[in-house]
Amino acid sequence: MSDAVAPARFVVPGVVLLLVAGVAAAGFWGGPSGVLIVLSAAALCTAIALMWTSLERMGEQASLDFEDALSVAVPSATEEQKLAVLRALKDLEYELTVGKISREDFDVASNDYRNQARRLIAAQDESMHVQLAAAEQRVLTFLQTSGAQSTPAEPSAQAASKTTSPSLAADPASTDAAD
Amino acid sequence: MGLSLPAFGTSIVFSILVLAAYTFAVAVAAGRRPHLLASARLGAYATSAVITCGVLLLSYGFFTHDFRIRYISQHSDRGMSPWYLLAALWGGQDGSLLWWTFLLSVYTAGVTTWMRGKYRALQPYVIATLMVIIGFFSILMMFAANPFEQNLTGSPGSGTQMNPLLQNYWMMIHPPMLYLGFVGCSVPFSFAIAALATGRLGNEWIVAVRKWMLTAFLFLSIGNVLGMIWAYEELGWGGFWAWDPVENAACLPWFTAAAYVHSTIIQERRNMFRIWNVVLICITFLLTIFGTFLTRSGLISSVHSFAKSDIGPFFSWFLVFTAVVSCALLVYRLPLLRGDAQLESVVSREGMFVINNWALLGGMTFILGATTSPLLTEALMNQEVTVGPPFYNKWMAPIGLLIFALMGLAPLFGWRKTSASSLKTAFAFPGLCLITVTLLHAIFGAKLGYPQVVGATTVESGTAAHIYASVSAFFPGITVSLSAFNVAVVVQEFVRGTRARMSSTQKKGDAEGPLTALVRLVQKSRRRYGGYIVHLGIVGMFLGFVGTAWQIEEEANLNIGDTAQVADYTLVYQGTRMCPGNPRCSAEEQSDKAKRMLFADVDVLQDGELVSTLHPAKFIYQNPPQTTTEVALLRGLRDDLYVVLAVADPETKRATFTVHVNPFVGWIWIGLLVLITGCGVSLWPEVTTKRVTAWTYVRASVAATAGILMTFTLAASLSQPFAGSFSAAGREHLAGHQRSSASVEGAPQ
């Protein structure tokens, strides 16, 4: 933990404790109206502090972390369909166990869903290959332009492609890879 | 000279718009420059904080009786209890708009916190949409309904009390609950707009919206039923729903929210109905705005509506703006919304859901049309038309029964298609229950006072009208039979699920007992089984609604000592007393200086035994000068005895009473409690293991305490009507309670 972060951790609990003490004191001496005016002042101060921080943050060029980058990625239509089919399979199994559908209906529907799932997974794998190749190419280009690697080398490029960098995942072009 | 509270409050209202506009701009920019998202989130919190400041300032004004502020002088005086001072915050037009904005700010802060680390691409547009809605309400307050507006004639010495009809316990919680439902629909709408704006129209936003819509649905249900309780207790006409335009406006979004809660399951399971779901969410939000507009514009006259005001045009423009933007985005994104999956068979779960959706939407459309038709007829043809309860009852009864039947049918069907043999198995037990209850009702119903067929008359001429009247005579019997069918379906679902779980755990060598299996089954599929519990709650409500078919209403004109027999209740009139002043008045009644109260004391006997003494009354308020009728109630699970003092002669003490026996009304309130439980089960969050700090424990314990307190308050307040239903002693207690509750100045129940 850095020195700058340590005191900041106690600011919010400290302010909350101060507010609780202020409200208790105002309630004791001023009754409900005292509590309301203290809370109102606290809300206004909070608004000002938040606004100030918001304006300060506008200038910052914070980079996305890996989780954020993943959440930006658009799930592909294939992925969505695959999830829907897998969910439907799960439901189908549940309905068979509770006797809502017959074994014959289950077999027909289950086969259909499994075929669909296979087709979607295959399509996804195929699209993944294309995206993976594009990602590898980008890593190579990045390493070359940044001077980290003078000549293209297959193994290192593959290694780099496996440890996806946040900036790559955040790139809309690589969204399927991020999925 | 320092800044006065009215001027400071007004500047706070202005700053809401400034902050909302800033946050909107930053949020939209964050759509393309992700690093701005943190600023937008902070802006959303700041906007929420400044709105909170405004609400607290207005509350402070009420508590310090700052009559310089017009709204405070018009809705409170020095004699009002603190609880009613708080309720006055939303008791009038201007304050309720600030309250609306405040609740929206609470949702905004909540959803902003909830989205942390999730839905990064949708976040900017969700925040921007919420800011547009907040901005609209701040404009409304700035230019048409400023709650901090100063009295032009200076500060009056005293204010005007809140309307006595609103000085009721249920008015303390009914409006906030209804507003929470209305405002809650803004969050799914914001997600829908964000999904349309970004083109991310897969399941991501549907999953995000799921719980928010269910929350809005829950609060809409609570708000509407609490409104029924208020009307039942306070308006004194013996019923709970009069198809008043404002009541209709409040229930419109409930229909579409209920439709969405079902159709979203199809999108998740089958990747179908993408367009339909977006449309439902947009319609639900538009209906909340339309409902607010109808209540506040003064266009319609209703006991619930606010005075005529200038805010109508603002709402009209906002309604048009929202509809146009939603439609434009929808059309723009139509290619992305079209799905591949098709409805394979109507004899399937999704088929039933489609019919259920159409029935719910049909009900909503009918109510909307009937509510607005008098306005349209007057505007377009300059003719006054009145659409009364008989018209609504005539058409809504079959629609309601269709929805009720579909509610029971849908769970019996499997996804995609269901074979005849499966259907036979699924229908066996519920069908048997339906037939048994139908037969029992036919045999014993009339003897017990609840006949299966209730003769319906019609004033309309024509064969069709007479045929319909004959058919509608069977509606009470059909409702009871369908109630049994629905309960049987839910019981069957739980039993089947528990058995399946017991069998599967046994195969795995980790056998579970029935209770453990049931609990774990619900834990594993909370949404499914929470939904079934909600269905049980709806059954309770339908039983309450059908009770009106067997309602008994009689008028009794009595001298002191006279008796009247209504159903199996014997009423003995004991005389009147005016409080304060009469020695028989309680200390609390003697000390009430805000009004004069004329009580009539009536002993109630059943089988010759005294079960309670009721005190129907007339209250005469001085400020504002108004007389109210205070109902006396003897509640029970079978029926409610509802006594109204119509007239009392102070000289001869002769009094006229209107007495109602209302069967099964209590089941509406029980149904609501069950519905809340079901929604609670569905909404209960997933438990995940995570590394936490001490501060997280503090936050979690505060949240848990607040949640438990709120649950207890709500459960206690809703179950309060049944406090004395089970014993004579309890009834005595209830009668005393009713008596004290009749006092406006008394503490809330």
Side-chain angles (χ1 to χ4, degrees):
Chain A
M1 187 193 301
S2 73
D3 289 346
V5 176
R9 280 190 62 201
F10 299 103
V11 170
V12 176
V15 169
V16 172
L17 282 177
L18 203 67
L19 178 65
V20 171
V23 166
F28 184 74
W29 281 295
S33 55
V35 172
L36 288 167
I37 199 69
V38 168
L39 286 175
S40 164
L44 189 61
C45 291
T46 310
I48 294 167
L50 287 166
M51 194 61 199
W52 183 261
T53 320
S54 170
L55 287 165
E56 266 189 338
R57 289 270 180 98
M58 277 178 82
E60 288 178 10
Q61 290 286 339
S63 57
L64 294 178
D65 60 21
F66 186 65
E67 290 298 317
D68 280 347
L70 279 183
S71 80
V72 171
V74 185
S76 66
T78 321
E79 174 69 12
E80 298 249 324
Q81 281 170 20
K82 186 189 85 183
L83 288 174
V85 168
L86 293 178
R87 252 187 244 118
L89 258 174
K90 207 177 156 190
D91 277 345
L92 208 62
E93 276 162 16
Y94 169 81
E95 286 179 353
L96 178 74
T97 56
V98 297
K100 209 169 274 188
I101 52 167
S102 62
R103 171 58 71 177
E104 293 75 36
D105 282 351
F106 172 80
D107 288 341
V108 173
S110 173
N111 272 338
D112 189 19
Y113 280 136
R114 279 171 205 280
N115 287 337
Q116 273 188 50
R118 270 187 217 111
R119 187 170 48 78
L120 290 165
I121 291 168
Q124 219 178 357
D125 283 351
E126 203 171 303
S127 120
M128 193 80 90
H129 281 305
V130 179
Q131 299 293 336
L132 209 59
E136 281 174 1
Q137 189 56 49
R138 277 171 180 248
V139 171
L140 281 174
T141 316
F142 172 75
L143 290 174
Q144 280 167 7
T145 50
S146 63
Q149 187 176 326
S150 51
T151 53
E154 193 65 23
S156 60
Q158 276 179 355
S161 70
K162 279 175 188 165
T163 53
T164 319
S165 82
S167 59
L168 274 176
D171 189 335
S174 64
T175 50
D176 277 356
D179 289 340
Chain B
M1 189 180 151
L3 195 62
S4 66
L5 185 64
F8 184 56
T10 304
S11 67
I12 290 290
V13 171
F14 277 64
S15 53
I16 294 172
L17 180 64
V18 172
L19 286 189
Y22 159 81
T23 310
F24 170 79
V26 178
V28 169
R32 291 197 175 276
R33 296 174 214 159
H35 71 274
L36 289 176
L37 185 57
S39 289
R41 290 171 57 85
L42 287 164
Y45 287 129
T47 312
S48 300
V50 88
I51 295 168
T52 308
C53 173
V55 167
L56 290 167
L57 269 183
L58 192 62
S59 313
Y60 172 77
F62 270 111
F63 276 83
T64 54
H65 306 295
D66 194 334
F67 297 131
R68 287 174 299 172
I69 298 174
R70 195 188 56 174
Y71 180 73
I72 293 176
S73 69
Q74 283 177 349
H75 294 92
S76 70
D77 78 353
R78 290 177 200 280
M80 274 168 64
S81 72
W83 292 108
Y84 288 132
L85 282 176
L86 201 63
L89 202 62
W90 54 80
Q93 173 92 287
D94 306 354
S96 69
L97 288 173
L98 181 62
W99 184 250
W100 217 102
T101 319
F102 168 66
L103 293 179
L104 183 55
S105 79
V106 171
Y107 271 110
T108 303
V111 80
T112 308
T113 307
W114 178 75
M115 288 190 299
R116 189 170 49 196
K118 290 185 282 191
Y119 311 114
R120 182 119 194 175
L122 295 175
Q123 269 195 56
Y125 298 99
V126 172
I127 293 173
T129 311
L130 288 168
M131 287 304 125
V132 170
I133 306 169
I134 289 179
F136 163 69
F137 276 93
S138 63
I139 288 173
L140 208 59
M141 286 189 282
M142 278 165 59
F143 297 108
N146 180 5
F148 291 98
E149 195 171 306
Q150 205 160 350
N151 266 314
L152 293 174
T153 51
S155 172
S158 67
T160 310
Q161 271 207 358
M162 194 164 60
N163 184 338
L165 286 175
L166 302 182
Q167 295 186 33
N168 174 286
Y169 171 75
W170 300 112
M171 284 308 286
M172 297 279 301
I173 51 174
H174 154 60
M177 290 293 152
L178 198 58
Y179 287 169
L180 275 170
F182 266 49
V183 178
C185 297
S186 308
V187 177
F189 175 72
S190 303
F191 268 97
I193 293 294
L196 287 168
T198 53
R200 299 169 69 104
L201 290 154
N203 281 354
E204 181 192 25
W205 75 276
I206 284 283
V207 172
V209 155
R210 204 161 60 187
K211 290 200 170 179
W212 290 100
M213 193 52 131
L214 195 57
T215 307
F217 171 80
L218 169 66
F219 284 117
L220 280 172
S221 307
I222 297 175
N224 274 299
V225 176
L226 292 185
M228 286 186 202
I229 300 181
W230 171 78
Y232 186 62
E233 287 189 0
E234 196 63 29
L235 299 183
W237 61 279
F240 44 82
W241 192 268
W243 295 109
D244 177 282
V246 173
E247 290 172 355
N248 297 348
C251 79
L252 289 174
W254 186 92
F255 280 91
T256 45
Y260 174 79
V261 167
H262 290 93
S263 70
T264 186
I265 301 172
I266 308 179
Q267 181 167 345
E268 282 176 50
R269 294 287 185 270
R270 301 288 322 275
N271 210 14
M272 291 161 70
F273 296 158
R274 288 169 163 212
I275 302 172
W276 180 245
N277 283 328
V278 175
V279 170
L280 274 181
I281 284 187
C282 292
I283 290 178
T284 306
F285 176 73
L286 288 171
L287 286 173
T288 63
I289 296 295
F290 176 75
T292 316
F293 160 70
L294 208 63
T295 325
R296 284 143 208 291
S297 59
L299 274 178
I300 40 115
S301 57
S302 155
V303 286
H304 309 271
S305 65
F306 294 89
K308 200 168 176 71
S309 72
D310 304 329
I311 64 173
F314 288 86
F315 268 103
S316 309
W317 281 110
F318 186 63
L319 211 55
V320 171
F321 167 75
T322 318
V324 167
V325 170
S326 310
C327 286
L329 281 171
L330 197 65
V331 170
Y332 177 60
R333 294 295 187 190
L334 218 47
L336 287 177
L337 282 164
R338 288 207 178 95
D340 298 330
Q342 295 288 325
L343 189 68
E344 288 174 41
S345 165
V346 182
V347 192
S348 62
R349 178 79 60 87
E350 51 269 50
M352 287 297 120
F353 277 1
V354 171
I355 304 172
N356 152 300
N357 262 237
W358 279 110
L360 284 166
L361 213 68
M364 184 279 290
T365 312
F366 167 75
I367 298 172
L368 181 67
T371 308
T372 50
S373 65
L375 297 175
L376 295 174
T377 316
E378 197 176 340
L380 301 174
M381 292 188 273
N382 205 21
Q383 281 179 355
E384 277 198 25
V385 176
T386 309
V387 181
F391 180 76
Y392 285 100
N393 289 335
K394 182 180 164 187
W395 293 106
M396 275 311 287
I399 296 174
L401 283 177
L402 175 64
I403 295 167
F404 197 40
L406 287 165
M407 190 177 92
L409 287 172
L412 299 176
F413 289 81
W415 293 102
R416 293 186 67 171
K417 61 181 172 188
T418 318
S419 67
S421 62
S422 302
L423 278 179
K424 210 183 282 176
T425 318
F427 272 83
F429 174 65
L432 186 70
C433 287
L434 183 136
I435 294 166
T436 311
V437 169
T438 308
L439 288 174
L440 288 174
H441 192 192
I443 297 165
F444 299 109
K447 285 179 194 161
L448 294 170
Y450 312 118
Q452 204 170 27
V453 182
V454 178
T457 52
T458 177
V459 288
E460 292 169 46
S461 57
T463 316
H466 284 284
I467 291 172
Y468 182 81
S470 309
V471 171
S472 64
F474 290 91
F475 286 168
I478 295 171
T479 311
V480 171
S481 303
L482 285 177
S483 298
F485 179 75
N486 270 291
V487 172
V489 168
V490 174
V491 169
Q492 178 173 275
E493 286 298 310
F494 274 96
V495 170
R496 276 174 152 189
T498 309
R499 274 191 192 154
R501 187 170 171 90
M502 285 169 70
S503 145
S504 78
T505 50
Q506 200 168 23
K507 277 179 197 160
K508 286 177 192 165
D510 183 22
E512 286 175 358
L515 197 65
T516 315
L518 177 67
V519 171
R520 295 205 174 140
L521 176 80
V522 176
Q523 274 178 344
K524 286 273 177 190
S525 312
R526 280 196 299 267
R527 186 155 60 137
R528 182 196 301 262
Y529 290 99
Y532 290 147
I533 297 171
V534 171
H535 284 192
L536 282 182
I538 303 280
V539 171
M541 290 183 188
F542 264 82
L543 268 182
F545 299 154
V546 79
T548 52
W550 302 303
Q551 191 184 47
I552 297 168
E553 183 184 338
E554 281 184 24
E555 203 162 274
N557 200 347
L558 306 173
N559 284 313
I560 294 176
D562 283 356
T563 61
Q565 187 72 32
V566 182
D568 59 349
Y569 294 102
T570 308
L571 278 68
V572 186
Y573 173 46
Q574 302 292 357
T576 58
R577 58 196 160 84
M578 182 68 90
C579 299
N582 191 299
R584 285 190 293 141
C585 301
S586 68
E588 196 185 348
E589 287 158 1
Q590 295 286 19
S591 64
D592 194 335
K593 306 292 177 210
K595 58 185 176 292
R596 292 185 58 74
M597 298 169 279
L598 177 69
F599 289 103
D601 300 326
V602 180
D603 284 346
V604 180
L605 291 85
Q606 259 182 318
D607 301 325
E609 278 189 33
L610 178 73
V611 287
S612 179
T613 302
L614 298 180
H615 313 279
K618 291 272 183 197
F619 287 180
I620 304 135
Y621 290 84
Q622 273 99 45
N623 179 27
Q626 195 171 333
T627 303
T628 62
T629 300
E630 302 298 314
V631 174
L633 270 163
L634 180 62
R635 294 180 193 271
L637 289 175
R638 198 193 68 181
D639 55 39
D640 282 4
L641 178 67
Y642 186 102
V643 184
V644 179
L645 173 63
V647 188
D649 188 329
E651 299 296 318
T652 62
K653 306 282 184 187
R654 189 175 174 79
T656 305
F657 299 92
T658 309
V659 185
H660 301 258
V661 177
N662 297 327
F664 307 132
V665 174
W667 287 94
I668 300 177
W669 327 140
I670 293 174
L672 175 66
L673 284 174
V674 177
L675 184 143
I676 292 171
T677 310
C679 286
V681 169
S682 294
L683 287 168
W684 198 257
E686 296 283 341
V687 178
T688 50
T689 47
K690 209 172 159 184
R691 232 186 117 190
V692 293
T693 60
W695 181 236
T696 315
Y697 280 113
V698 174
R699 279 192 310 199
S701 51
V702 169
T705 312
I708 290 167
L709 278 176
M710 192 178 163
T711 309
F712 271 107
T713 311
L714 207 61
S717 63
L718 287 172
S719 56
Q720 176 269 333
F722 300 97
S725 300
F726 304 103
S727 65
R731 289 186 174 203
E732 281 296 325
H733 165 78
L734 182 71
H737 205 66
Q738 281 295 330
R739 189 167 157 178
S740 64
S741 77
S743 165
V744 172
E745 286 287 301
Q749 295 163 34

PDB file of all heavy atoms in Angstrom, chain A residues 71-85:
ATOM      1  N   SER A  71     -15.355  -5.871 -20.109  1.00  0.00           N
ATOM      2  CA  SER A  71     -16.766  -5.464 -20.070  1.00  0.00           C
ATOM      3  C   SER A  71     -17.125  -4.564 -21.248  1.00  0.00           C
ATOM      4  O   SER A  71     -18.288  -4.439 -21.612  1.00  0.00           O
ATOM      5  CB  SER A  71     -17.105  -4.784 -18.741  1.00  0.00           C
ATOM      6  OG  SER A  71     -16.685  -3.457 -18.737  1.00  0.00           O
ATOM      7  N   VAL A  72     -16.099  -3.913 -21.856  1.00  0.00           N
ATOM      8  CA  VAL A  72     -16.369  -3.078 -23.034  1.00  0.00           C
ATOM      9  C   VAL A  72     -16.623  -3.957 -24.258  1.00  0.00           C
ATOM     10  O   VAL A  72     -17.389  -3.612 -25.146  1.00  0.00           O
ATOM     11  CB  VAL A  72     -15.188  -2.107 -23.293  1.00  0.00           C
ATOM     12  CG1 VAL A  72     -15.350  -1.382 -24.622  1.00  0.00           C
ATOM     13  CG2 VAL A  72     -15.088  -1.102 -22.160  1.00  0.00           C
ATOM     14  N   ALA A  73     -15.957  -5.119 -24.264  1.00  0.00           N
ATOM     15  CA  ALA A  73     -16.067  -5.986 -25.441  1.00  0.00           C
ATOM     16  C   ALA A  73     -17.521  -6.385 -25.703  1.00  0.00           C
ATOM     17  O   ALA A  73     -18.252  -6.712 -24.781  1.00  0.00           O
ATOM     18  CB  ALA A  73     -15.234  -7.243 -25.210  1.00  0.00           C
ATOM     19  N   VAL A  74     -17.911  -6.315 -26.960  1.00  0.00           N
ATOM     20  CA  VAL A  74     -19.294  -6.681 -27.327  1.00  0.00           C
ATOM     21  C   VAL A  74     -19.378  -8.202 -27.497  1.00  0.00           C
ATOM     22  O   VAL A  74     -18.628  -8.761 -28.288  1.00  0.00           O
ATOM     23  CB  VAL A  74     -19.712  -6.027 -28.660  1.00  0.00           C
ATOM     24  CG1 VAL A  74     -21.174  -6.311 -28.971  1.00  0.00           C
ATOM     25  CG2 VAL A  74     -19.446  -4.548 -28.625  1.00  0.00           C
ATOM     26  N   PRO A  75     -20.253  -8.863 -26.749  1.00  0.00           N
ATOM     27  CA  PRO A  75     -20.381 -10.298 -26.966  1.00  0.00           C
ATOM     28  C   PRO A  75     -20.904 -10.543 -28.386  1.00  0.00           C
ATOM     29  O   PRO A  75     -21.828  -9.861 -28.831  1.00  0.00           O
ATOM     30  CB  PRO A  75     -21.435 -10.732 -25.939  1.00  0.00           C
ATOM     31  CG  PRO A  75     -21.617  -9.576 -25.027  1.00  0.00           C
ATOM     32  CD  PRO A  75     -21.205  -8.364 -25.770  1.00  0.00           C
ATOM     33  N   SER A  76     -20.302 -11.493 -29.086  1.00  0.00           N
ATOM     34  CA  SER A  76     -20.726 -11.722 -30.470  1.00  0.00           C
ATOM     35  C   SER A  76     -22.108 -12.379 -30.496  1.00  0.00           C
ATOM     36  O   SER A  76     -22.542 -12.978 -29.504  1.00  0.00           O
ATOM     37  CB  SER A  76     -19.720 -12.623 -31.168  1.00  0.00           C
ATOM     38  OG  SER A  76     -19.763 -13.887 -30.569  1.00  0.00           O
ATOM     39  N   ALA A  77     -22.767 -12.262 -31.635  1.00  0.00           N
ATOM     40  CA  ALA A  77     -24.099 -12.859 -31.774  1.00  0.00           C
ATOM     41  C   ALA A  77     -24.016 -14.371 -31.580  1.00  0.00           C
ATOM     42  O   ALA A  77     -24.888 -14.987 -30.970  1.00  0.00           O
ATOM     43  CB  ALA A  77     -24.653 -12.526 -33.148  1.00  0.00           C
ATOM     44  N   THR A  78     -22.916 -14.949 -32.072  1.00  0.00           N
ATOM     45  CA  THR A  78     -22.737 -16.401 -31.938  1.00  0.00           C
ATOM     46  C   THR A  78     -22.655 -16.784 -30.463  1.00  0.00           C
ATOM     47  O   THR A  78     -23.244 -17.772 -30.027  1.00  0.00           O
ATOM     48  CB  THR A  78     -21.430 -16.837 -32.649  1.00  0.00           C
ATOM     49  OG1 THR A  78     -21.309 -16.084 -33.847  1.00  0.00           O
ATOM     50  CG2 THR A  78     -21.407 -18.299 -32.932  1.00  0.00           C
ATOM     51  N   GLU A  79     -21.899 -15.989 -29.714  1.00  0.00           N
ATOM     52  CA  GLU A  79     -21.736 -16.260 -28.288  1.00  0.00           C
ATOM     53  C   GLU A  79     -23.094 -16.218 -27.578  1.00  0.00           C
ATOM     54  O   GLU A  79     -23.419 -17.077 -26.759  1.00  0.00           O
ATOM     55  CB  GLU A  79     -20.775 -15.219 -27.688  1.00  0.00           C
ATOM     56  CG  GLU A  79     -20.601 -15.277 -26.185  1.00  0.00           C
ATOM     57  CD  GLU A  79     -19.850 -16.519 -25.710  1.00  0.00           C
ATOM     58  OE1 GLU A  79     -19.276 -17.214 -26.560  1.00  0.00           O
ATOM     59  OE2 GLU A  79     -19.901 -16.797 -24.497  1.00  0.00           O
ATOM     60  N   GLU A  80     -23.875 -15.192 -27.904  1.00  0.00           N
ATOM     61  CA  GLU A  80     -25.199 -15.034 -27.290  1.00  0.00           C
ATOM     62  C   GLU A  80     -26.091 -16.223 -27.618  1.00  0.00           C
ATOM     63  O   GLU A  80     -26.787 -16.747 -26.754  1.00  0.00           O
ATOM     64  CB  GLU A  80     -25.862 -13.754 -27.795  1.00  0.00           C
ATOM     65  CG  GLU A  80     -25.086 -12.517 -27.419  1.00  0.00           C
ATOM     66  CD  GLU A  80     -25.808 -11.678 -26.397  1.00  0.00           C
ATOM     67  OE1 GLU A  80     -27.026 -11.617 -26.488  1.00  0.00           O
ATOM     68  OE2 GLU A  80     -25.138 -11.115 -25.515  1.00  0.00           O
ATOM     69  N   GLN A  81     -26.050 -16.628 -28.899  1.00  0.00           N
ATOM     70  CA  GLN A  81     -26.877 -17.764 -29.312  1.00  0.00           C
ATOM     71  C   GLN A  81     -26.432 -19.036 -28.594  1.00  0.00           C
ATOM     72  O   GLN A  81     -27.251 -19.838 -28.151  1.00  0.00           O
ATOM     73  CB  GLN A  81     -26.785 -17.964 -30.816  1.00  0.00           C
ATOM     74  CG  GLN A  81     -27.650 -16.973 -31.593  1.00  0.00           C
ATOM     75  CD  GLN A  81     -27.364 -17.039 -33.082  1.00  0.00           C
ATOM     76  OE1 GLN A  81     -26.827 -18.009 -33.572  1.00  0.00           O
ATOM     77  NE2 GLN A  81     -27.715 -15.980 -33.785  1.00  0.00           N
ATOM     78  N   LYS A  82     -25.121 -19.171 -28.470  1.00  0.00           N
ATOM     79  CA  LYS A  82     -24.571 -20.363 -27.801  1.00  0.00           C
ATOM     80  C   LYS A  82     -25.066 -20.413 -26.349  1.00  0.00           C
ATOM     81  O   LYS A  82     -25.529 -21.450 -25.873  1.00  0.00           O
ATOM     82  CB  LYS A  82     -23.038 -20.329 -27.846  1.00  0.00           C
ATOM     83  CG  LYS A  82     -22.394 -21.578 -27.304  1.00  0.00           C
ATOM     84  CD  LYS A  82     -20.900 -21.441 -27.168  1.00  0.00           C
ATOM     85  CE  LYS A  82     -20.549 -20.782 -25.852  1.00  0.00           C
ATOM     86  NZ  LYS A  82     -19.114 -20.548 -25.694  1.00  0.00           N
ATOM     87  N   LEU A  83     -24.988 -19.272 -25.669  1.00  0.00           N
ATOM     88  CA  LEU A  83     -25.436 -19.228 -24.275  1.00  0.00           C
ATOM     89  C   LEU A  83     -26.921 -19.565 -24.164  1.00  0.00           C
ATOM     90  O   LEU A  83     -27.333 -20.281 -23.255  1.00  0.00           O
ATOM     91  CB  LEU A  83     -25.158 -17.841 -23.671  1.00  0.00           C
ATOM     92  CG  LEU A  83     -23.692 -17.535 -23.397  1.00  0.00           C
ATOM     93  CD1 LEU A  83     -23.533 -16.088 -22.938  1.00  0.00           C
ATOM     94  CD2 LEU A  83     -23.138 -18.475 -22.329  1.00  0.00           C
ATOM     95  N   ALA A  84     -27.719 -19.015 -25.099  1.00  0.00           N
ATOM     96  CA  ALA A  84     -29.166 -19.279 -25.076  1.00  0.00           C
ATOM     97  C   ALA A  84     -29.434 -20.771 -25.268  1.00  0.00           C
ATOM     98  O   ALA A  84     -30.274 -21.346 -24.574  1.00  0.00           O
ATOM     99  CB  ALA A  84     -29.865 -18.459 -26.149  1.00  0.00           C
ATOM    100  N   VAL A  85     -28.686 -21.389 -26.184  1.00  0.00           N
ATOM    101  CA  VAL A  85     -28.884 -22.821 -26.451  1.00  0.00           C
ATOM    102  C   VAL A  85     -28.476 -23.652 -25.236  1.00  0.00           C
ATOM    103  O   VAL A  85     -29.184 -24.589 -24.836  1.00  0.00           O
ATOM    104  CB  VAL A  85     -28.090 -23.252 -27.712  1.00  0.00           C
ATOM    105  CG1 VAL A  85     -28.034 -24.764 -27.839  1.00  0.00           C
ATOM    106  CG2 VAL A  85     -28.703 -22.646 -28.958  1.00  0.00           C
TER     107      VAL A  85
END
